[in-house]
Amino acid sequence: MRYDWSVDEIEALFALPFNDLMFRAQQAHRANFDANEVQLSTLLSIKTGGCPEDCKYCPQSSRYNTDVESELLMKKAQVIAAARVAKEKGASRFCIGAAWREPKARAFDLVCDMISEIKEMDMEACATLGMLTPDQAHKLKEAGLDYYNHNLDSDPDYYKEIISTRTYDERLDTLKNVRAEGMSICCGGIVGMGESRRHRAGLVAQLARMNPHPESVPINMLVKVEGTPVAEDEQFAETLDNFEFIRTIAVSRITMPGSHVRLSAGREEMSEEMQSLCFLAGANSIFYGEKLLTTGNQDAENDQKLFAKLGLRPMESPVPSSRRMVNA
Ligand code: SF4
C-alpha cells in the first residue's frame, strides 16, 4: 500500500487512455475485493437544515433559500425503526447525519444513545455530525460507533471557493481525533464544483496520503440544488463530463486499493450504464435507500434490478465482527 502519492502522479493517472485506466482500476479492485460485491449503506438525516455553515453546495445551510425545511432532532424510536427497515432491505451499515457545525452536549448524548441501539441490532454504525473534539470522538467510540464521516470536499487550494466558515485544517483535526480513537474513517469529496482536473487530483492525493487510507471514500457528483450558490453562480455553471467522474472513481480505486470507494450523491441522475462504468472503475459501495440527506437517491428497487442485470451482490458486513470488537 502506498501513502506517498504526489499530485503529479495522480494527474498522470487521470490522463491515461480510458481503457488503460479502467484496466488498472480493475486490477487494483480484484486484488483486494470480490469485484462483484457492493457494500450497501443506508443514510438517514436525523437533524435536517438550519446549519450555520456556508458550504456552497448544501441546501441545509441556513444561509441559502432552498426548499429544505429545518427539523428538530428525530426521536430515537424513529431512528431505530428506520435502521430496522434498512437492515431488512439488506443494508449492512446505517449512517446517521445531522446538519451541525459541531454537536452540542444534550443532543450529542441523545445521538450516542441512538448509536448504542443501532449496534445492538448488529449493524455497522456510521455518523456525520460535524466537527468533533477529542472527547466527543472518545464518547462516540464508547457508544460503539464504527465509522465517522467527515469529507474533505475538495483540494486544499480550491476549498476556499466553497466554504469559508471552517478551515481545511479543522477538518483534518476532526479526522485525527476520530483516528486517535481507533474508529474507521469515511472521507471523500465532491467533484463538479468548477474545480480543475489538477484540483481533483489534489483531493485524491490528500485522501491517498492518509496512513491508513480512509476505509470508505465517498465520491460525490455535485447535485445543484436550487437556491444554493453552486446552482446560481456562473463560476459553477459548467457540468462535469461523466467520463471525468468515472476517471475520478478509477483513480481513487488505484491509489486507495483497499478502501470502499462509494458512488454517492448524484447517483439518482446517473443512467444504469453510467453507474455500471463506475462499478467497473472500482466503486464498490453505494448509499441505498430513498434519500441522501436531503437530495434524492435511486430507490432500493431500481438498485436491486440493476444488481440483477450486472450480477452484483450485496457485500456482507465489510469488517469481520472479530475485528470490529478489537478496533471499533
Ligand atoms: S455540508 Fe454539513 S456543515 Fe456544510 S452547510 Fe451542509 S450540513 Fe452544514
Side-chain angles (χ1 to χ4, degrees):
M1 210 65 77
R2 279 187 59 189
Y3 305 98
D4 60 350
W5 289 94
S6 71
V7 180
D8 285 342
E9 280 178 298
I10 293 176
E11 209 178 8
L13 287 175
F14 266 97
L16 283 172
F18 188 73
N19 287 346
D20 293 348
L21 179 62
M22 296 296 270
F23 180 64
R24 296 249 329 242
Q26 271 287 304
Q27 284 177 313
H29 195 174
R30 285 167 186 272
N32 290 278
F33 291 99
D34 180 330
N36 297 311
E37 285 190 349
V38 176
Q39 187 265 328
L40 307 180
S41 298
T42 293
L43 175 59
L44 177 71
S45 178
I46 59 168
K47 193 272 167 194
T48 303
C51 181
E53 301 289 84
D54 70 349
C55 312
K56 286 186 180 168
Y57 53 82
C58 184
Q60 302 205 67
S61 168
S62 59
R63 296 162 191 250
Y64 313 131
N65 193 7
T66 67
D67 285 346
V68 172
E69 303 274 340
S70 291
E71 292 169 11
L72 297 172
L73 183 64
M74 275 171 89
K75 298 261 181 297
K76 185 168 76 175
Q78 290 173 286
V79 175
I80 299 308
R84 201 160 288 128
V85 171
K87 187 173 182 187
E88 278 161 17
K89 286 190 178 176
S92 60
R93 188 182 306 169
F94 195 66
C95 312
I96 53 178
W100 289 323
R101 175 175 164 80
E102 71 265 297
K104 299 284 184 304
R106 212 180 96 71
F108 182 73
D109 290 344
L110 292 171
V111 171
C112 287
D113 273 0
M114 293 174 192
I115 291 165
S116 299
E117 281 211 26
I118 293 167
K119 290 305 298 171
E120 279 168 23
M121 295 167 58
D122 203 23
M123 289 183 95
E124 288 189 314
C126 175
T128 182
L129 313 169
M131 294 189 287
L132 294 182
T133 63
D135 185 51
Q136 286 170 326
H138 182 68
K139 286 185 175 143
L140 287 171
K141 160 84 171 177
E142 282 190 329
L145 193 73
D146 298 292
Y147 281 76
Y148 194 75
N149 163 266
H150 202 61
N151 288 333
L152 290 180
D153 283 3
S154 195
D155 165 86
D157 285 340
Y158 195 69
Y159 176 87
K160 53 189 173 304
E161 303 287 328
I162 308 295
I163 298 138
S164 74
T165 48
R166 76 174 66 164
T167 65
Y168 213 79
D169 282 346
E170 284 175 315
R171 288 185 185 257
L172 295 171
D173 284 346
T174 290
L175 293 169
K176 198 169 70 194
N177 296 339
V178 171
R179 267 294 182 229
E181 291 297 330
M183 287 182 284
S184 297
I185 284 178
C186 172
C187 181
I190 308 173
V191 295
M193 297 194 290
E195 77 285 345
S196 64
R197 176 178 273 184
R198 179 84 181 166
H199 291 134
R200 285 187 282 283
L203 166 66
V204 175
Q206 283 289 323
L207 298 166
R209 286 204 289 248
M210 289 181 191
N211 185 0
H213 294 146
E215 284 76 7
S216 283
V217 180
I219 303 293
N220 296 279
M221 175 80 116
L222 176 67
V223 178
K224 294 181 182 172
V225 180
E226 213 180 306
T228 59
V230 295
E232 316 286 329
D233 296 356
E234 193 54 30
Q235 177 188 356
F236 307 108
E238 205 177 313
T239 301
L240 189 74
D241 184 78
N242 280 345
F243 286 105
E244 189 67 12
F245 182 81
I246 297 163
R247 284 179 183 276
T248 310
I249 298 264
V251 168
S252 303
R253 166 54 63 219
I254 292 165
T255 53
M256 293 168 277
S259 302
H260 290 84
V261 177
R262 181 175 305 134
L263 182 53
S264 288
R267 202 163 64 82
E268 189 186 40
E269 277 137 48
M270 292 178 193
S271 67
E272 288 188 337
E273 292 81 0
M274 166 75 176
Q275 291 182 66
S276 307
L277 279 173
C278 291
F279 293 132
L280 200 61
N284 65 345
S285 173
I286 57 169
F287 276 123
Y288 178 70
E290 282 163 23
K291 278 213 159 181
L292 201 48
L293 292 179
T294 60
T295 58
N297 193 22
Q298 294 280 357
D299 83 17
E301 229 171 85
N302 288 345
D303 286 334
Q304 284 164 5
K305 282 188 198 148
L306 180 59
F307 274 37
K309 283 187 202 183
L310 301 178
L312 294 176
R313 300 180 299 275
M315 193 180 288
E316 298 282 312
S317 178
V319 183
S321 52
S322 56
R323 203 184 120 201
R324 267 199 320 240
M325 300 294 287
V326 177
N327 292 333

